[in-house]
């Protein structure tokens, strides 16, 4: 096994750049400001509240993760970003309607000071949106250069030591890998040629990675998940993570499915439907954007259940996912899952889950954790795909030739073992035979 990396200290200021300052971004920013002021607890955040067990169970060593690995402190974080609308973060948070006015008023001046930089945007990739705060450029290469300039200026004006970028923009239309994504040389040529295979999110990803900045994708669109950008990340030392935050219905799915499989209960059908009324729901009402989301949401069961190994239990599973745009609910999504299962002697049973969740409340701590862990990875010299952050994503990025790991509990073990490895602690296998010697 490799030796633990040397990790640079988290000194100075970390700039967290969010692309798209909508519901998820503003809930993250306002939340961090509120936590920093002691107005609320960072519930749902592993970096802020999680612990990691070290050594044997008898040793009683379970430090907080933030005391175990050198993470940037919330006091040392500043936020910036881009959006196609000119609203500052306070106005955008009001429009998103996730957080209550009372809380927003308490952090209002800080939110108002965060104004979006002008965006790289093309309606071809997000059909239901249009806005005025958009850059013009000679071609996509020129737009990428403008973004790089934005990052450098932000870093200087905010006296940041380091930056990370998280795409929290709308879900773009479904695209598959093309020759333009195959190598860095082909990609750079395609940028110059304004190739349609390069959507806005890839221009941001390219710009960040070119600057050596860690990049994560909270949405399901391809973005950095193509060979050309992985190649670039290897050369500039950018850690990458994505895609599509695992919140709401898929989180519950990846909690329940491993449990049913562990007990070898068969599944005949899994019907998932949602109603959602925020801007994300409106964008997903476009069939091309929904297709990107659907692919991301549907893959998890196949990988968790392994129908090739358990054909009698899962081969004929009928898995349906629907999202319906329903404005009255705003950001408060309601999801229904009907799961048709079978047990001993083929006897049938049903499981119903009705999750009345708040999408952005579930997403915000993930954006924070991913940003802080990617900054840690960068300081530890870990470039390219960070599979240990699969825990947070519906479609985890993974090395070519590997299948992605979707089981939340395996993902958790992988994450914590990576932290143990980084600090030179023994990995935990849960074998435990030594307690009975
Ligand atoms: N909330 C969740 O639980 C969750 C879970 C998984 C994934 N996501 C994804 O995260 C993303 C953000 O979700 P949200 O609820 O905040 O959506 P939102 O619609 O509230 O915010 C998205 C913002 O991105 C902006 N935008 C779009 N294209 C842009 C571009 N090219 N450059 C700059 N800004 C751009 C939009 O103007 C909007 O303000 C979506 O893609 C969503 O699918 C959210």
């Amino acid at each position: 096994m490799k030796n633990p990396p040397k990790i640079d200290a988290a000194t100075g200021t970390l700039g967290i750049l969010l692309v798209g300052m909508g519901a998820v971004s503003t809930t993250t920013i306002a939340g961090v400001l509120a936590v920093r002021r002691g107005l609320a607890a960072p519930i749902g955040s592993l970096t802020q509240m999680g612990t990691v067990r070290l050594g044997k169970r008898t040793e009683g060593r379970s430090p907080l993760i933030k005391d175990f690995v050198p993470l940037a402190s919330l006091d040392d974080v500043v936020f910036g970003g881009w959006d196609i609308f000119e609203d500052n973060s306070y106005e955008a948070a009001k429009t998103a309607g996730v957080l209550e006015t009372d809380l927003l008023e308490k952090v209002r001046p800080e939110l108002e000071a965060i104004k979006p930089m002008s965006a790289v945007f093309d309606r071809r990739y997000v059909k239901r949106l249009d806005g005025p705060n958009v850059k013009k450029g000679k071609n996509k290469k020129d737009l990428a250069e403008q973004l790089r300039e934005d990052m450098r200026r932000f870093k200087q004006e905010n006296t940041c030591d380091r930056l990370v970028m998280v795409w929290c923009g709308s879900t773009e239309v479904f695209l598959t890998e093309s020759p333009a994504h195959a190598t860095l040389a082909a990609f750079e040529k395609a940028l110059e040629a304004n190739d349609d295979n390069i959507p806005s999110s890839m221009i941001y990803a390219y710009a960040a990675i070119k600057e050596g900045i860690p990049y994560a994708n909270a949405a399901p669109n391809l973005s950095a998940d193509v060979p050309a950008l992985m190649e670039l990340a290897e050369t500039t030392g950018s850690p990458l993570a994505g895609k599509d935050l695992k919140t709401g219905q898929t989180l519950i799915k990846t909690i329940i499915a491993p449990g049913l499989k562990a007990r070898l209960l068969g599944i005949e059908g899994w019907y998932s439907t949602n109603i959602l009324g925020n801007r994300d729901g409106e964008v997903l009402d476009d069939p091309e954007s929904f297709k990107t989301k659907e692919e991301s949401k549907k893959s998890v069961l196949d990988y968790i259940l392994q129908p090739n190994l358990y054909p009698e239990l899962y081969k004929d599973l009928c898995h349906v996912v629907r999202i319906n745009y329903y404005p009255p609910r705003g950001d408060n999504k309601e999801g229904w899952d009907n799961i048709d299962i079978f047990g001993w002697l083929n006897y049938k049973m049903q499981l119903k889950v009705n999750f009345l969740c708040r999408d952005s409340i579930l997403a915000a701590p993930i954006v924070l954790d991913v940003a802080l862990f990617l900054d840690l990875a960068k300081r530890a010299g870990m470039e390219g795909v960070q599979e240990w952050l699969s825990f947070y994503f519906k479609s985890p990025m993974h090395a070519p030739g590997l299948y992605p790991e979707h089981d939340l509990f395996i993902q958790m073990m992988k994450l914590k073992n990576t932290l143990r490895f980084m600090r030179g602690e023994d990995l935990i296998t849960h074998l435990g035979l030594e307690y009975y010697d």
Side-chain angles (χ1 to χ4, degrees), residues 23-24 83 120 168-171 204 218 244-245 247 279-280 293 359:
V24 170
D83 205 287
V120 169
C168 295
S170 312
T171 300
Y204 285 95
D244 204 7
L245 305 181
T247 57
R279 192 179 278 154
D280 185 32
K293 196 63 150 185
D359 247 16

Side-chain angles (χ1 to χ4, degrees), residues 19-25 82-85 96 119-122 126 129 167-172 200-201 204 218-221 244-248 278-280 283-284 293 331 333 359-360 362-363 394:
V19 189
M21 306 195 79
V24 170
S25 291
W82 296 264
D83 205 287
I84 64 171
F85 299 107
V120 169
F121 179 74
D122 184 339
V126 183
L129 284 189
W167 171 271
C168 295
S170 312
T171 300
E172 296 174 319
S200 316
S201 68
Y204 285 95
N221 28 262
D244 204 7
L245 305 181
K246 181 145 86 173
T247 57
N278 60 14
R279 192 179 278 154
D280 185 32
V283 169
L284 293 173
K293 196 63 150 185
D331 198 64
K333 184 154 83 180
D359 247 16
S360 303
L362 294 168
K394 285 195 198 79

Side-chain angles (χ1 to χ4, degrees), residues 276-320:
L276 174 64
N278 60 14
R279 192 179 278 154
D280 185 32
E282 192 178 349
V283 169
L284 293 173
D285 209 33
D286 169 41
E288 289 190 69
S289 284
F290 176 66
K291 170 102 175 111
T292 313
K293 196 63 150 185
E294 188 186 24
E295 293 286 320
S296 174
K297 279 176 161 270
K298 282 184 77 169
S299 61
V300 302
L301 283 187
D302 264 0
Y303 287 112
I304 292 177
L305 300 173
Q306 297 178 298
N308 53 327
L309 295 183
Y310 303 99
E312 307 98 302
L313 301 177
Y314 308 119
K315 186 170 66 59
D316 297 323
L317 169 65
C318 171
H319 185 197
V320 178

Side-chain angles (χ1 to χ4, degrees), residues 162-281:
R162 306 171 312 282
L163 297 177
V164 298
M165 185 192 279
V166 186
W167 171 271
C168 295
S170 312
T171 300
E172 296 174 319
V173 299
F174 184 64
L175 286 179
T176 47
E177 249 180 72
S178 77
H181 308 135
T183 64
L184 183 57
F187 189 91
E188 289 187 329
K189 231 188 226 157
L191 278 176
E192 301 249 14
N194 267 334
D195 191 321
D196 282 350
N197 288 299
I198 310 226
S200 316
S201 68
M202 269 186 204
I203 304 178
Y204 285 95
Y206 170 81
I209 300 168
K210 189 86 180 166
E211 291 289 303
I213 293 171
Y215 178 83
N217 182 9
N221 28 262
L222 272 183
S223 205
D225 198 2
V226 292
L229 294 181
M230 291 186 201
E231 184 186 331
L232 181 60
E234 295 294 327
T235 56
T236 61
S238 284
L240 305 176
K243 314 182 298 273
D244 204 7
L245 305 181
K246 181 145 86 173
T247 57
Q249 196 168 53
T250 308
L251 172 67
I252 298 300
K253 206 170 260 180
T254 59
I255 291 172
I256 293 177
L260 295 175
K261 181 188 167 203
R263 289 300 172 104
L264 295 178
L265 292 167
I267 309 178
E268 204 181 351
W270 197 312
Y271 183 86
S272 302
T273 188
N274 297 273
I275 53 174
L276 174 64
N278 60 14
R279 192 179 278 154
D280 185 32

Side-chain angles (χ1 to χ4, degrees), residues 433-437:
L433 283 179
E434 68 274 21
Y435 301 117
Y436 298 91
D437 282 346

